[in-house]
Amino acid sequence: MPSGVPADGNLTIFGRPIVQIGYNVESITETANFFATALGAGPFFLMTDINIPTLRNARGPITWKHSAAFGQWGNVGIELQQTAQLDPPDAFGPSYQRPVGVNHLAYIVEDLPAERARLEALGLTLLFDAKNGPHDSMLFDAPLLGHTIEVHRDFTLFKDLREAMVAAAKGWDGSDPVRPVPRELQDTLAASGA
């Protein structure tokens, strides 16, 4: 049985390197400050009023308006989320929708349909698939783990954001733990229709 820890020391889940741990939080700023002072994670890049244009599950379209901050904690990314609106209110299942706590672990694949088939064969249920400009992703329920699994198809902007987080974390002195997303990434998001 594989240990889930490859030779490079990066943790995996379902045989894929974990790139992000997502948390539902009551206050992004308060939680980012805690991550920064207690755990040395950050800085966090804040995106507000996120509305994914194509988000749906088997029952139909989903409206999800939220804010999120993205930061780096060692070799894994952290996402802090606050939901402003979710319709239908039970669209993501109980594990993801707890008001506070871990809601997902995320990883990246090249072939989303193949990964969907693989995870469904393992007994995970698709909660939604999403398209936001060039970004395609899926969310799966993993109730025995107590959280969900978020799977992304890699694309340039996603890579650029990860690289910006890693660069900002190197030698970071703990100042300004919550910052706007870098202007060049915001411009790219706007240009892509994301």
Side-chain angles (χ1 to χ4, degrees), residues 18-29 31-33 35 39 41-52 55 64-83 92 96 98-108 128 130 132 135 137-139 147-152 158 161-162 165 177-178 181:
I18 298 168
V19 297
Q20 182 187 84
I21 302 170
Y23 293 84
N24 278 334
V25 300
E26 291 181 346
S27 167
I28 286 176
T29 301
T31 308
N33 280 318
F35 264 94
L39 303 171
F44 288 86
F45 296 108
L46 180 63
M47 296 174 141
T48 58
D49 303 318
I50 301 167
N51 185 18
I52 300 169
L55 182 63
W64 181 33
K65 296 181 181 176
H66 66 291
S67 295
F70 302 88
Q72 198 68 19
W73 185 21
N75 61 4
V76 69
I78 299 293
E79 179 180 2
L80 308 176
Q81 295 179 347
Q82 275 183 273
T83 295
F92 299 164
Y96 198 91
R98 288 181 301 219
V100 175
V102 173
N103 66 27
H104 71 270
L105 297 183
Y107 60 85
I108 295 167
F128 73 66
N132 192 6
H135 181 194
S137 62
M138 299 180 299
L139 184 74
H147 58 74
T148 61
I149 303 297
E150 195 175 79
V151 183
H152 300 269
F158 202 54
L161 178 58
R162 288 195 317 271
M165 291 186 311
V178 181
V181 170

Side-chain angles (χ1 to χ4, degrees), residues 155-175:
F155 71 106
T156 302
L157 182 60
F158 202 54
K159 179 176 176 283
D160 291 347
L161 178 58
R162 288 195 317 271
E163 288 175 356
M165 291 186 311
V166 169
K170 284 184 182 169
W172 179 50
D173 64 3
S175 62

